[in-house]
Amino acid sequence: HVQLVESGGRSVQAGGSLRLACGASVSAANDDCVGWFRQAPGKEREWVAAIFAGDDHTEYADSVKGRFTVSQAGGTTVSLQMDNLKPEDTAIYYCAAAPLWPGFQAESVNDYTDWGQGTQVTVS
């Protein structure tokens, strides 16, 4: 298992930007996927974005497409750049990792094997 630690969450005004980081205890393998999820109070955890370590392919939820950018650096850090933030982006943000397997779905919470503890993002 890999240990994941998120950082960078804080309070920001609507329209502002934040950059979250997800640090991993080991380098991502080429067949790994790192996803970002978020959970607002009283709501289910929802998928935000994902990056596939082998080819840098990225995917985004419609709610953040064009505003959020996920990237990787050095094999142990995955960042989530969040621009034009809205109050509805307020949530605890989690990163998660998973080895790819046939049928893997990047947007599925249950397909990830390792999770960080989360970092709070508040947009007002």
Side-chain angles (χ1 to χ4, degrees), residues 30-113:
N30 284 340
D31 58 351
D32 286 345
C33 177
V34 176
W36 283 96
F37 291 78
R38 65 188 182 187
Q39 188 165 18
K43 295 187 177 181
E44 293 187 352
R45 191 168 299 189
E46 67 169 350
W47 173 68
V48 173
I51 185 166
F52 293 81
D55 60 3
D56 276 347
H57 173 70
T58 57
E59 297 180 359
Y60 299 92
D62 288 343
S63 60
V64 306
K65 199 171 294 182
R67 300 188 298 123
F68 290 12
T69 303
V70 60
S71 61
Q72 60 176 343
T76 58
T77 302
V78 172
S79 298
L80 183 67
Q81 176 67 37
M82 306 187 294
D83 298 316
N84 190 20
L85 283 161
K86 304 175 181 180
E88 52 263 43
D89 294 320
T90 295
I92 299 174
Y93 282 72
Y94 301 88
C95 65
L100 299 181
W101 49 276
F104 174 83
Q105 294 182 301
E107 68 272 23
S108 174
V109 170
N110 294 328
D111 283 6
Y112 289 82
T113 55

